[in-house]
Amino acid sequence: MTLDKGKKSESYTSVNTADCSNVPPETVQLKKELGVFDGIGVIVGVIIGSGIFVSPKGVLLHAGSVLMSLVVWILCGLLSTFGAVCYAELGAAIPKSGGEFAYLNESFGGLFAFLYLWVAMLIIMPTGNAIIALTFAEYILQPFYGMCKAPQLAVQLLAVVVILFLTFVNCRSMKWVTRIQDSFAFAKIVALLIIICAGIYHLIFVSTENLSNVTQDTNWNFAQIALAFYSGMFSFSGWNALNFVTEEMKNPVRDLPRAIIISIPLVALIYLLTNVAYFSVLTKEEILASSATAGSFGDKVLGVMSWIMPVCVALSTFGGLNGGIFSSSRLFFVGARQGHLPRIVSMINVNHSTPSPSLIFLGIMTLFYLWVGGIYVLINFTSFIEALFITLTIAALLYLRIRAPKMERPIKVSLVFPICFLIIGIFLVILPFFQDFKETGIALAITLSGIPVYVIFVLWKNKPKWIHAISDHSTLFIQKFLLKINWCLSV
């Protein structure tokens, strides 16, 4: 493990904490290996993961009717497109990896950037990856248990295995990662096309009864609609994934917007058609009673070949998890490079050109969340925090337009996009407080708990010796622990 300085690097084992602090953050770089098709693969691969196979139930639960559910899906796709276009401007104007962390740091300063890093580290990234891993395990085990639900312990243990395997792959080779991402992005689209084609066939040749009363039980409670948006937006999570790896793109100014413009509308159309297929085959009651919507769909339309559906979903979630690990690990890498996390997390394995310590750190946090909470509780919990910080990031775009009007912007979007997104984002953040204050209150409390951590360990320079001692010993312990794991991966 070494620091890449553009010259002959020193052995990682000889780098101590003091050495790390003397290395300018901008000297720690990853290779530029991603083109426009790789970018499309990353975005599609990260977005189409577990969400479309578990979120339809959550959207329907809060939206009430089939029509309102479809409206929510359409608006989620539109909102994601607006957000992605805004992020294209930010990514081109601030061509740094780290996504929201880099943009908040540039506009509002270190505290807001750290708070995002804090909740991303504790909740957003590992929880999102844990949800995908659990979904993968549930679907891959489903053919072995038939109509019965797979034992929770078996699901969790299989999720552990896939997280460890993909963490290893991400640590070993960027080429392996991009090959997996590109191939599984294609595989998951094929899986969804099976659902769409089967649904259209059922709608034309079998029955339209399930779509005969699409407005029944429509929920007009705006707080409930906001929660439906949370489930829908969870399925679109990852539209900003490419902004986390901007520095690894060969030509981000050209390729970033191209990848976004192609990927997001494509995914939105696929999601809408997939939900129409679900509703044409399954009744509302069947969707709400199922823990695996695509599996129930396959049981009704594929007959003896129903095992194909859980296998396809498993392949899809496998690619989604790979993309999630790849993109989210870069956030911790960039945060450590800025001094907001221990410097060991910002180091690169020059033999493989991968941020191994960051990947290992993320893997450990993800394994923890496999044993905490249920999927839909975790979705609402993480979606609130994501909505909060994405809204702040869009506000940062408007703030930079005012504060730095002469800032170089290779891509400059119409103000209609950030303003519309900001208004909707504010509603999505505020309304859930009236519906479920406990979950949103806990999420907000965890976010605010990062303030004293930032003040003590980042902002406060003249700390007492005993605080320095605790910090140094903790950093040394983490460094030794990550080194041992990385040595095992390198053997």
Side-chain angles (χ1 to χ4, degrees), residues 87 96-104 116 240 243-245 331 393:
Y87 270 50
K96 300 177 181 178
S97 292
E100 287 89 346
F101 176 84
Y103 310 145
L104 291 172
Y116 175 73
N240 57 346
N243 291 75
F244 286 93
V245 294
L331 171 63
T393 304

Side-chain angles (χ1 to χ4, degrees), residues 215-358:
T215 60
Q216 184 179 354
D217 300 324
T218 297
N219 194 338
W220 294 105
N221 183 312
F222 287 110
Q224 286 285 349
I225 297 300
L227 292 176
F229 261 89
Y230 278 2
S231 287
M233 290 303 293
F234 175 78
S235 292
F236 282 94
S237 293
W239 56 260
N240 57 346
L242 207 56
N243 291 75
F244 286 93
V245 294
T246 303
E247 292 178 14
E248 295 173 70
M249 298 190 72
K250 297 173 184 177
N251 190 340
V253 173
R254 181 195 66 191
D255 294 342
L256 180 62
R258 287 183 179 181
I260 287 171
I261 290 170
I262 294 172
S263 303
I264 309 298
L266 173 64
V267 173
L269 178 62
I270 290 173
Y271 276 8
L272 178 62
L273 293 175
T274 301
N275 276 277
V276 171
Y278 283 149
F279 288 126
S280 67
V281 172
L282 301 173
T283 65
K284 287 172 52 180
E285 292 72 22
E286 287 173 329
I287 292 176
L288 293 176
S290 174
S291 60
T293 308
S296 300
F297 179 93
D299 290 338
K300 289 198 70 171
V301 299
L302 298 179
V304 294
M305 300 297 290
S306 61
W307 59 269
I308 292 176
M309 190 51 59
V311 171
C312 288
V313 174
L315 292 176
S316 173
T317 52
F318 185 85
L321 181 58
N322 178 67
I325 291 173
F326 167 70
S327 59
S328 55
S329 65
R330 270 57 179 177
L331 171 63
F332 303 142
F333 166 77
V334 174
R337 195 173 63 179
Q338 293 294 326
H340 290 183
L341 287 176
R343 279 291 181 185
I344 180 69
V345 181
S346 70
M347 292 184 178
I348 299 170
N349 186 319
V350 293
N351 294 326
H352 306 297
S353 298
T354 58
S356 296
S358 177

